[in-house]
Amino acid sequence: MGFPPKVYQFLVGTFAALGSFLYGYDLTIVAEVVSSGSFLNYFSPTTTEIGLVASLLTAGAVIGAGLAYPCSDYFGRRATILAGGVIFCLGGSLQAGARNYGYILGGRFIAGVSIGVLTMIVPIYQAELVHPNIRGLVTGLQQFMLGIGGVCGSWISYGTYVSFVDNRQWRIPLGIQIVPAALLSGLIFLFPESPRWLISQGQLEKGRHTLARLHANGNLSDPWVLAEFEQIRAQVAEEKEHSQVKLSQWITDKSNFRRLLLACAMQAATQMTGVSAIQYYSVTIFKQIGIDGTDTLRYQAINSIIGLIGEFLLMMVVDKIGRRKLVVGGNLAMCLTYVISTILLAQFPPEMHNTGAHWGFIIMTWVYNFCFASMGSLSWMIPAEIFDTATRAKGVSINQSINQSSINLLQSN
């Protein structure tokens, strides 16, 4: 292995974050897919059926997040990531090759199960692999790769929207999402298993060798590796002695309850900002202020780049500034963009055709997406950090179920 340990850990974390890339890509292409003329002509979906395209994905994600916890503890982190990637390939194939609307809805639900699995397991895998000094940076990759997926999805869907009038307009973006899922599934076993999971399964030598490979270029005598190995082994022994945390203990134990409440509140608050609704229904929202579908998709593609810049900057400063200040500052800034957008809509309704007001609304959308990086990145980062080793897998699983349930609730209203 020719890379310094932290660089290697960062690269492994980046590869695992392909699961987030899939989520970001899927979030952005759906707006183009359900608004394209060829899609509407081919399936003639009702308004309710169009809504199901979004809601079935999140319904599947709730189930996937719940299934990921027992699978990751029993089969391992890598096997769970493999399963998530394979399931996504199946869901994507059904959507891209759809012959009727049932294929679309079934594919969306199956892809949602995969999204739930991957968004639950990837932050855990990253947190258990990397050195504490770069844990914030690496777990922040979850949102950053989601942003990269969004950029790719926005520009690919915009390109197919303006370039084709036949079914390629929606089949191509739906089909492309299979590629990163196949890469994730095919290559995950080239990367190390979580050393903590190996040690918890009694594979002590494998766990020690993996720690050495990750943190000391294979040096089994490295002091940090030896100390970390003993610490993980002690934690695992303590967990087994006290058994796994029971469901009732999430309520009765104040420490567990506080962690769970903070994690779930963080995810619910992230969705309450309205980000998913804006991504799914951007064409409809912009149409209400007089901006047509082609322009909307172009502005959303620009928006995705601005959001990615925000996420990159946050990753650079999160370990210096701290989590709390970024959450508070980002939310205040997003609140201000909503206030200004509301005023613009109230003072300049669509029938006035005020170009300045249109641009004001677009710019506020861009500023909002830049500021959303605070909540977006930290909503993955904080839950992966605040749970102890005994509660991390189950806690993140419950947390992601709450996250996807919040998205579903908001989209159905």
Side-chain angles (χ1 to χ4, degrees):
M1 185 178 64
F3 297 108
K6 290 182 180 178
V7 174
Y8 178 65
Q9 295 162 34
F10 181 83
L11 293 174
V12 174
T14 302
F15 175 77
L18 272 176
S20 256
F21 177 93
L22 291 171
Y23 192 18
Y25 181 88
D26 192 277
L27 280 173
T28 51
I29 64 168
V30 71
E32 181 272 335
V33 167
V34 300
S35 63
S36 63
S38 58
F39 181 87
L40 297 174
N41 291 334
Y42 191 83
F43 296 112
S44 300
T46 64
T47 302
T48 301
E49 288 173 335
I50 290 176
L52 285 173
V53 169
S55 59
L56 279 175
L57 183 88
T58 51
V62 173
I63 294 172
L67 292 173
Y69 157 66
C71 289
S72 66
D73 271 6
Y74 189 80
F75 297 107
R77 310 324 192 201
R78 292 187 304 176
T80 306
I81 292 173
L82 169 65
V86 171
I87 293 169
F88 196 95
C89 288
L90 174 60
S93 298
L94 285 173
Q95 295 171 69
R99 298 299 178 188
N100 58 58
Y101 208 66
Y103 281 70
I104 293 289
L105 298 182
R108 296 297 291 173
F109 181 80
I110 292 170
V113 172
S114 168
I115 292 296
V117 169
L118 293 172
T119 54
M120 179 269 170
I121 191 57
V122 168
I124 293 176
Y125 180 70
Q126 292 171 326
E128 292 179 347
L129 254 62
V130 303
H131 193 282
N133 290 348
I134 61 168
R135 189 168 291 151
L137 175 66
V138 173
T139 53
L141 284 170
Q142 184 85 337
Q143 182 67 25
F144 185 69
M145 290 296 284
L146 193 150
I148 292 178
V151 170
C152 294
S154 295
W155 287 102
I156 288 171
S157 59
Y158 173 69
T160 57
Y161 188 89
V162 300
S163 300
F164 305 114
V165 294
D166 57 15
N167 289 338
R168 288 177 294 176
Q169 198 175 46
W170 55 273
R171 289 195 191 274
I172 288 176
L174 286 175
I176 287 175
Q177 65 185 330
I178 300 169
V179 176
L183 283 173
L184 183 64
S185 303
L187 300 179
I188 186 60
F189 276 91
L190 297 178
F191 294 87
E193 179 58 271
S194 159
R196 187 196 174 279
W197 183 82
L198 290 170
I199 294 169
S200 71
Q201 299 299 304
Q203 301 178 43
L204 301 183
E205 280 305 302
K206 281 188 178 181
R208 192 159 66 94
H209 278 82
T210 301
L211 279 172
R213 178 185 174 192
L214 284 166
H215 298 282
N217 288 328
N219 181 8
L220 294 171
S221 302
D222 181 83
W224 192 92
V225 170
L226 294 173
E228 184 71 3
F229 175 75
E230 291 301 328
Q231 181 181 12
I232 294 173
R233 189 165 66 168
Q235 289 172 341
V236 168
E238 184 180 356
E239 291 166 22
K240 289 182 177 178
E241 182 180 347
H242 295 91
S243 187
Q244 288 292 319
V245 176
K246 297 178 182 178
L247 185 60
S248 60
Q249 290 177 280
W250 288 102
I251 307 298
T252 58
D253 186 287
K254 290 183 179 180
S255 178
N256 288 338
F257 181 72
R258 184 171 183 270
R259 291 185 184 121
L260 184 64
L261 183 63
L262 285 172
C264 292
M266 186 74 187
Q267 286 288 7
T270 300
Q271 297 309 323
M272 288 296 289
T273 64
V275 62
S276 294
I278 292 171
Q279 288 170 323
Y280 277 121
Y281 302 115
S282 58
V283 173
T284 303
I285 294 170
F286 276 67
K287 189 176 181 179
Q288 290 175 351
I289 64 168
I291 301 173
D292 68 29
T294 302
D295 288 338
T296 294
L297 291 173
R298 182 168 64 249
Y299 298 146
Q300 280 294 87
I302 296 170
N303 192 28
S304 64
I305 296 175
I306 293 170
L308 187 63
I309 293 170
E311 289 152 15
F312 175 79
L313 292 175
L314 183 132
M315 287 173 58
M316 296 297 102
V317 302
V318 64
D319 288 326
K320 298 176 182 178
I321 296 177
R323 280 60 166 157
R324 185 181 300 177
K325 290 179 181 178
L326 289 169
V327 168
V328 173
N331 274 282
L332 289 174
M334 285 187 286
C335 180
L336 182 60
T337 64
Y338 272 132
V339 170
I340 295 173
S341 297
T342 302
I343 293 172
L344 288 172
L345 286 172
Q347 295 297 317
F348 305 98
E351 54 268 20
M352 292 183 66
H353 301 290
N354 188 300
T355 304
H358 290 175
W359 273 108
F361 185 87
I362 291 166
I363 291 170
M364 284 302 101
T365 304
W366 290 346
V367 173
Y368 161 85
N369 207 38
F370 179 86
C371 298
F372 176 76
S374 60
M375 287 295 285
S377 294
L378 293 171
S379 67
W380 303 108
M381 201 179 297
I382 290 174
E385 293 177 335
I386 62 176
F387 293 110
D388 58 24
T389 55
T391 60
R392 184 175 291 140
K394 187 178 289 186
V396 173
S397 177
I398 296 172
N399 174 56
Q400 280 307 308
S401 294
I402 293 293
N403 176 38
Q404 298 300 334
S405 297
S406 300
I407 297 173
N408 216 354
L409 178 65
L410 291 170
Q411 286 171 350
S412 62
N413 288 296

